[in-house]
Amino acid sequence: MEKEKTDNAQMSKVKTVIKTLAILFLLSWIVSSVISAFYGEDAATIDFDANVAVIPIKGVILTGEADFLAETEIAVSDDIIEFIEDADEQDNIKAIIFEIDSPGGSPVASEEIANAIKKTNKTTVAWIREAGASGAYWAASATDHIVASRMSITGSIGVIASYLEYTGLLEEFNLTYQRFVSGPYKDLGDPFKELSKEERGLYQAKLDKLHDYFVEAVADNRGIPKKDVQLMATGMFYLGSEAKELGLVDEMGSKDEAIEYIERKLGIEAELTEYEKELTLADIFRKFSNQNSFYVGKGIGSSLKDTKPAVLSLWT
Amino acid sequence: MPKAHNVEVQASVFKRITAFLIDMLILQFIVLGPMDSLYASVLPSGAGFSEMIANLQADNEKIAMVSFLSAVSGIFAMLYFAMLESKLGQSIGKMAMKIYVKSDENNLSFWKCLLRSFFLMPVMPFSILMLIDPISAFFTKGNRRLLEMLTKTRTVESLPYQQGF
């Protein structure tokens, strides 16, 4: 009887211990999940054993975040610049490899990245994979050495701008566009009115200017005479092998060649660490909330298709 | 015939320290295990101590995060002791060393147990207790910690006592 009582007491004790540990473990797991959802690393926590940082430039290059529901991958210039500056501050990091897989993007964002690359004191290598064209090439040209596959798509030195003009549609539905402007060119590029010859000329002049900036940057970065770059800057894309012949890339290869270049130049054995932007739950909630707030006003139904008016967008 | 029975005495310092170390291991690997990845995301890997400090000092957000995580860990540690000691009079480490907590007023409540574990809170100004509280046990009557005196509790063990001629 006494023994049974003791056994029961012992069993009860064990149950209490297990219950307590289980409750605390569960609470700890919940709390750490909640904290990690809201605390995201903006830059990788540097591995102190590493001496080469890998910074990805993947997707369309833009200055701001994309819509939450956007299908296209976005390379945000602010994030990339933050990674570059972080790597620049780390004494153990001797070189940076930019892993590029981008069709280009906004001229401003591309130039921002190129400028940040030029500012860093570290050895920089661009490793172009599927594509490193247009604005992405602008950024790559700022590095010390460019490695590309013979089949990479690169070059495409030029500027593109486009928008849909709805004037024909308005006419068909007998709609009239009422125009009120304080200056003659205030609504330049408005999709609801026809682009005049004069306006077209003005627009083209702006594009030509951007084109010139792009050509200057590549000529300066690659040490190629400007007139030679102008000849290449037809907007045509080049395969990696063609770009090598033109002097737009330095070497055919992949990541191994990029690493070998660094090891040869700096006399080190490369240990890599990669930067990546973590999307926190808070980021997702914020974007979703912003998106939803906008669409609540518009009507949820219209959010199911893209009804944003086509706006003029400039792309390199 | 001499009568044998047990008598309660203040637990030895050796047993108390050993029990505490066992409890810390359990806290580290079981209770605070889910938080390891959080610490790893803040503290740089492969870094020596001075490199880690330099890395943290360069980033106020990281310092704030480490402080916050330490406070959360402290709370879980206190809850561990409070929940077990108030229910069973013992934590797992104390069970292993056969020592237990008793209240002078025979009412070992959850809040008393929580308060007597407050030296585990690594947040200023309470973090000073981490040093003062355990050390005080060496200088007080009956080897009681400051927080034990405050909460009117003590850590005891049962020793056999034989009464006879």
Side-chain angles (χ1 to χ4, degrees), chain A residues 159-163 203 207 312-315:
Chain A
V159 187
I160 184 172
S162 62
Y163 69 96
Y203 231 117
L207 253 63
L312 185 69
S313 45
L314 293 170
W315 301 104

Side-chain angles (χ1 to χ4, degrees), chain A residues 57-133:
Chain A
I57 301 177
K58 291 181 179 175
V60 176
I61 298 173
L62 293 175
T63 52
E65 302 278 356
D67 288 343
F68 170 62
L69 298 174
E71 288 171 12
T72 318
E73 194 174 0
I74 304 294
V76 181
S77 58
D78 284 344
D79 293 340
I80 293 163
I81 291 166
E82 191 186 323
F83 293 162
I84 295 170
E85 287 171 353
D86 190 82
D88 206 33
E89 281 168 10
Q90 308 296 333
D91 291 334
N92 55 303
I93 296 293
K94 309 294 178 203
I96 305 172
I97 294 176
F98 293 91
E99 185 184 345
I100 298 175
D101 201 350
S102 165
S106 110
V108 171
S110 305
E111 192 188 39
E112 282 178 351
I113 295 172
N115 288 344
I117 292 172
K118 285 194 281 191
K119 268 193 204 154
T120 175
N121 296 319
K122 314 289 180 179
T123 298
T124 51
V125 178
W127 163 34
I128 297 174
R129 305 192 66 181
E130 292 282 352

Side-chain angles (χ1 to χ4, degrees), chain A residues 171-193:
Chain A
E171 219 176 289
E172 197 173 315
F173 286 94
N174 201 23
L175 294 169
T176 312
Y177 169 62
Q178 297 292 343
R179 179 176 178 257
F180 296 92
V181 290
S182 61
Y185 308 117
K186 186 67 182 173
D187 59 350
L188 182 68
D190 192 310
F192 296 110
K193 75 173 194 49

Side-chain angles (χ1 to χ4, degrees), chain B residues 125-137:
Chain B
F126 310 111
S127 51
I128 201 135
L129 286 170
M130 268 185 163
L131 195 62
I132 296 173
D133 191 59
I135 289 176
S136 64

Side-chain angles (χ1 to χ4, degrees), chain A residues 12-13 16-17 20-21 23-25 27-29 31-32 35-36 39-42 45-49 90, chain B residues 30-31 34-35 38 41 43-47 51 61 65 68 72 76 79-80 83-84 87-88 90 92 95:
Chain A
S12 174
K13 216 177 189 179
T16 304
V17 167
T20 305
L21 287 178
I23 289 169
L24 287 174
F25 179 84
L27 271 174
S28 171
W29 181 78
V31 167
S32 63
I35 293 172
S36 63
Y39 178 78
E41 276 294 292
D42 287 333
T45 304
I46 257 302
D47 184 346
F48 272 65
D49 292 333
Q90 308 296 333
Chain B
I30 300 178
V31 178
M35 301 191 68
L38 272 178
S41 71
L43 301 171
S45 63
E51 283 167 327
E61 201 184 308
M65 188 60 185
F68 176 67
V72 171
F76 276 110
L79 281 174
Y80 166 83
M83 286 169 76
L84 285 175
K87 279 240 175 230
L88 304 171
Q90 294 172 300
I92 296 171
M95 283 178 205

